């Protein structure tokens, strides 16, 4: 049973560019959340997707957008990249309602984004 | 609103010594509480969780944590540190279904284990 997978592992972009990060949730999971972890900080919640809709959003600008597909995989898009967007981006998935681990989030290995 | 404070950004212990990592939380609703571990260049791995059952929670790798409502604390302990425990540890809080279980993390505590 594969866990949460993310691609790519590393990415280097320049200011003003756009980037797309991808996430496949753990088998049996239908909710995907994205977190940004700046160097030396704890992860910060960006948004959460369920049934292909954004359900909750953290304190991030509209430059951050996402999508969820029918197979529950998800994308995080960041437009007009800033130097401050350099971070580890973590995807987390949660089990379908009714499962014993419904209240637990499983994290992927992350995508390290560097903006030059 | 929820928040987490981890006291001590860096904790250093000797191998075989007690590990104590401190976490205090603030939550307007009964919380779920979690400890995650992060090894260099990796994602987060769940160590243990409190979800309103037993207040003393046992996790993986010999770690445990005790939920103390009166002190709004959820400190992580391990009786005897191993070199392999060296990593960054994050405490996190989430609400119930209404919050969609969004996690709010502390800033983390880096644990170093000296031989």
């Amino acid at each position: 049973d594969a866990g949460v997978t993310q691609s790519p592992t590393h990415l280097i972009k320049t200011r003003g560019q756009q980037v797309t990060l991808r996430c496949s949730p753990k088998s049996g999971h239908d909710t995907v959340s994205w977190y940004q972890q700046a160097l030396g900080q704890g992860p910060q919640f960006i948004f959460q997707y369920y049934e292909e809709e954004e359900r909750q959003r953290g304190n991030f600008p509209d430059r951050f957008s996402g999508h969820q597909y029918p197979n529950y995989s998800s994308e995080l898009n960041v437009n007009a990249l800033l130097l401050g967007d350099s971070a580890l981006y973590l995807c987390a998935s949660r089990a379908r309602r009714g499962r014993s681990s419904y209240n637990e989030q499983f994290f992927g290995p992350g995508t390290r984004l560097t903006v030059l | 609103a929820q928040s987490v404070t981890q006291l001590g950004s860096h904790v250093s212990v000797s191998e075989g010594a007690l590990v104590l990592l401190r976490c205090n939380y603030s939550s307007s609703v009964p919380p779920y509480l979690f400890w995650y571990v992060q090894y260099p260049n990796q994602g987060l791995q769940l160590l243990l969780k409190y979800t309103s059952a037993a207040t003393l929670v046992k996790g993986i790798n010999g770690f445990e944590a005790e939920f103390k409502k009166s002190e709004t604390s959820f400190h992580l302990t391990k009786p005897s540190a191993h070199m392999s425990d060296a990593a960054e540890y994050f405490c996190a809080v989430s609400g119930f279904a209404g919050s969609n279980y969004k996690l709010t993390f502390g800033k983390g505590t880096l644990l170093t284990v000296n031989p």
Side-chain angles (χ1 to χ4, degrees), chain A residues 44-95:
Chain A
Q44 298 285 320
F45 175 75
I46 302 175
F47 44 52
Q48 182 183 91
Y49 276 83
Y50 171 67
E51 292 185 333
E52 302 179 49
E53 289 188 14
E54 183 182 296
R55 299 293 177 169
Q56 193 170 14
R57 189 177 183 91
N59 189 26
F60 280 81
D62 292 345
R63 297 186 298 108
F64 290 77
S65 63
H67 189 79
Q68 185 179 36
Y69 295 93
N71 67 353
Y72 310 119
S73 66
S74 176
E75 290 180 352
L76 164 64
N77 301 293
V78 187
N79 293 322
L81 285 167
L82 303 174
L83 295 179
D85 295 330
S86 295
L88 180 68
Y89 289 85
L90 295 163
C91 171
S93 68
R94 205 177 79 227

Side-chain angles (χ1 to χ4, degrees), chain B:
Chain B
Q2 298 176 314
S3 66
V4 171
T5 301
Q6 291 186 240
L7 299 175
S9 59
H10 186 196
V11 170
S12 182
V13 300
S14 298
E15 193 172 18
L18 171 71
V19 175
L20 171 60
L21 305 183
R22 300 179 187 273
C23 171
N24 288 88
Y25 71 92
S26 172
S27 178
S28 57
V29 297
Y32 286 164
L33 292 160
F34 305 82
W35 274 99
Y36 285 88
V37 60
Q38 186 176 38
Y39 297 100
N41 300 313
Q42 294 188 25
L44 301 174
Q45 179 184 7
L46 182 68
L47 279 177
L48 48 80
K49 64 180 180 181
Y50 166 76
T51 56
S52 74
T55 57
L56 182 61
V57 180
K58 294 188 183 299
I60 62 172
N61 301 338
F63 284 94
E64 64 181 36
E66 185 172 8
F67 172 68
K68 292 186 176 180
K69 183 178 179 180
S70 62
E71 298 177 8
T72 60
S73 69
F74 190 58
H75 301 331
L76 181 71
T77 60
K78 182 174 180 177
S80 177
H82 294 166
M83 297 295 291
S84 60
D85 294 327
E88 184 108 34
Y89 292 80
F90 293 94
C91 181
V93 62
S94 81
F96 289 166
S99 73
N100 290 323
Y101 301 101
K102 177 191 80 170
L103 288 169
T104 298
F105 286 86
K107 292 187 175 182
T109 297
L110 179 64
L111 175 67
T112 58
V113 182
N114 303 307

Side-chain angles (χ1 to χ4, degrees), chain A:
Chain A
D1 175 27
V4 179
T5 60
Q6 293 186 242
S7 63
T9 305
H10 295 88
L11 206 50
I12 299 175
K13 293 285 188 179
T14 56
R15 282 177 294 175
Q17 286 189 311
Q18 178 266 344
V19 69
T20 297
L21 310 181
R22 294 178 174 82
C23 171
S24 291
K26 188 176 168 64
S27 177
H29 289 197
D30 61 359
T31 301
V32 173
S33 298
W34 288 91
Y35 293 80
Q36 180 195 64
Q37 185 179 16
L39 198 62
Q41 300 294 317
Q44 298 285 320
F45 175 75
I46 302 175
F47 44 52
Q48 182 183 91
Y49 276 83
Y50 171 67
E51 292 185 333
E52 302 179 49
E53 289 188 14
E54 183 182 296
R55 299 293 177 169
Q56 193 170 14
R57 189 177 183 91
N59 189 26
F60 280 81
D62 292 345
R63 297 186 298 108
F64 290 77
S65 63
H67 189 79
Q68 185 179 36
Y69 295 93
N71 67 353
Y72 310 119
S73 66
S74 176
E75 290 180 352
L76 164 64
N77 301 293
V78 187
N79 293 322
L81 285 167
L82 303 174
L83 295 179
D85 295 330
S86 295
L88 180 68
Y89 289 85
L90 295 163
C91 171
S93 68
R94 205 177 79 227
R96 294 192 184 99
R97 193 181 298 270
R99 297 206 175 190
S100 61
S101 60
Y102 177 66
N103 52 31
E104 183 180 324
Q105 297 200 40
F106 292 77
F107 283 82
T111 293
R112 174 73 63 186
L113 172 65
T114 301
V115 182
L116 302 176

